[in-house]
Amino acid sequence: MANPILVFCEQRDGHLKKAGLEALGQACRLSKAGGRDVVALVVGSSVSPLTQEPASHGASRIVIAEDPALSSYSSELFTTIVADLAAGLKPVAILMGATAMGKDLATKVAARLKSAVIQDCVALEMEADGSLIATRPIYGGKLRAVVKPTNPLMQVVTLRPNIFSLLESKPASDVPIERLAVSFDGTRPMARIRDARATADDKKELTEASIIVSGGRGLKGPDNFILLEELAAALGAAVGASRAVVDAGWRPHRDQIGLTGKTVSPQLYIACGISGAIQHQAGMSSARTIVAINNNPNAPIFKLATYGIVGDLFEIVPLLTEEVKNL
Ligand code: FAD
């Protein structure tokens, strides 16, 4: 049997992250050519109820690692789980979402396995011998590097969220589920999370949102973001921001998109009053459709935009909101 593909299906608070299921979808597509199994790994303190989702999203086998010590993410413990499983399984590739957790875990698993790591891929192919050919944006998205690890075994790859599609969910009842005998073999976490406090709001996470309405200095002040909040509410979108407005204290840093903020890949990105500096583009250029609203026809954002609206956002955004509400 050909070496399998291992997918780390990240979960948080009892929910599987979409980014992990997207990695699973891509693993299933890659596995078809080589007739490989796709093994989904779910790690946490109480993950037994989460096996159905990877099964219905194409996994041919599910492995769960359940232990109270795994209730929150620990680089050391999670690395031990993934690397030990991989050492026995000898997968051609280990895939995960390029989330904060995925990016951290990938580097450590690769270091432990002495294998290659390719972060934040936007395209991924596999040759017959299992060698991966991965495409990843570099230099803030100005170039795309095509990377091929020299050893086609245990190649660790993170996939940018919202780029790879989910496999259509189908009921699956006969997928084998294996419970890993969790052993940390002397591994001790370097730090423990003693307390995690949710912020007061229940805002949509930008990196997972399929629609983002984003605002820049053209909004003129923090109070005017209400216009974007209203449009976002009508669209079911998240609200993002440029660094200029975060630096000005109009929005919190977690809303910042760009080189020194978050990287997002939504289906639709609506940039309002954002000039489109290269550092901002670095975080959003892989959005599928970009709509720019700016009163300066020469703003760089228009070079990137799928659709451009030259005009005053204070007129256009409320009109858009009304139109969306009437749909
Ligand atoms: P501006 O460049 O001031 O643009 C405002 C835009 O609003 C203009 O194009 C203007 O025409 C338009 N406008 C004004 N009034 C209206 C109106 N009424 N209707 C419609 N449009 C209007 N930036 C990021 O965003 N993210 C990053 O992560 C980031 N990282 C950086 C890292 C480094 C090392 C450096 C040096 C810079 C970084 N920057 C980043 C900053 C970046 O270079 C820009 O300064 C910033 O993106 C500009 O933000 P802005 O587009 O909101 O503001």
Side-chain angles (χ1 to χ4, degrees):
M1 185 71 185
N3 300 52
I5 302 174
L6 175 61
V7 181
F8 174 75
C9 290
E10 180 178 337
Q11 66 85 27
R12 208 158 276 184
D13 303 328
H15 298 286
L16 290 175
K17 289 260 187 183
K18 187 164 155 264
L21 294 174
E22 289 168 359
L24 187 58
Q26 185 61 11
C28 294
R29 283 184 283 272
L30 297 176
S31 72
K32 289 221 170 80
R36 300 174 192 281
D37 271 350
V38 175
V39 180
L41 170 65
V42 189
V43 180
S45 60
S46 173
V47 291
S48 301
L50 301 183
T51 52
Q52 197 49 48
E53 229 177 327
S56 59
H57 280 88
S60 33
R61 204 174 125 198
I62 294 161
V63 178
I64 56 171
E66 209 168 35
D67 191 278
L70 301 168
S71 62
S72 53
Y73 177 62
S74 146
S75 296
E76 295 79 19
L77 301 187
F78 278 51
T79 299
T80 298
I81 300 272
V82 181
D84 285 358
L85 177 65
L89 211 57
K90 300 268 181 297
V92 275
I94 304 169
L95 306 190
M96 50 191 94
T99 58
M101 184 194 293
K103 286 196 243 181
D104 179 73
L105 183 63
T107 50
K108 284 161 184 153
V109 168
R112 188 80 66 89
L113 297 172
K114 298 194 170 28
S115 59
V117 61
I118 314 170
Q119 295 274 23
D120 204 22
C121 294
V122 293
L124 189 65
E125 291 163 40
M126 185 178 276
E127 294 183 331
D129 70 347
S131 297
L132 289 175
I133 304 172
T135 306
R136 58 184 299 262
I138 55 170
Y139 300 126
K142 274 194 145 182
L143 290 180
R144 290 196 162 195
V146 179
V147 186
K148 184 174 172 183
T150 47
N151 183 359
L153 200 63
M154 301 205 264
Q155 308 154 95
V156 186
V157 179
T158 65
L159 305 183
R160 183 176 284 194
N162 285 332
I163 295 284
F164 298 88
S165 56
L166 295 174
L167 233 53
E168 197 184 328
S169 174
K170 289 190 194 136
S173 53
D174 52 354
V175 178
I177 299 170
E178 186 187 321
R179 181 177 287 272
L180 213 60
V182 175
S183 155
F184 300 121
D185 202 19
T187 309
R188 291 187 52 204
M190 308 274 275
R192 274 187 206 286
I193 297 176
R194 294 181 61 176
D195 187 18
R197 290 178 203 164
T199 46
D201 51 44
D202 56 350
K203 284 171 81 164
K204 269 181 182 281
E205 171 55 39
L206 278 172
T207 52
E208 290 177 8
S210 53
I211 307 179
I212 294 175
V213 179
S214 201
R217 202 157 20 204
L219 266 293
K220 316 270 189 244
D223 296 344
N224 295 329
F225 267 81
I226 186 72
L227 295 176
L228 304 197
E229 303 278 3
E230 284 169 358
L231 177 57
L235 287 166
V239 176
S242 71
R243 177 166 164 174
V245 307
V246 170
D247 284 352
W250 299 356
R251 301 295 287 183
H253 182 258
R254 66 170 187 268
D255 289 0
Q256 186 181 316
I257 291 166
L259 192 63
T260 43
K262 289 181 176 161
T263 303
V264 297
S265 293
Q267 300 293 318
L268 175 62
Y269 187 87
I270 306 179
C272 308
I274 293 180
S275 58
I278 187 71
Q279 296 89 353
H280 187 78
Q281 292 186 20
M284 45 65 77
S285 59
S286 58
R288 192 144 305 170
T289 301
I290 298 169
V291 175
I293 305 170
N294 198 302
N295 61 6
N296 175 3
N298 299 317
I301 192 77
F302 287 127
K303 292 212 174 88
L304 194 68
T306 326
Y307 302 101
I309 304 172
V310 178
D312 185 353
L313 72 88
F314 292 97
E315 287 171 24
I316 293 158
V317 172
L319 286 174
L320 268 179
T321 307
E322 274 319 299
E323 283 299 319
V324 174
K325 280 184 181 165
N326 291 334
L327 283 177

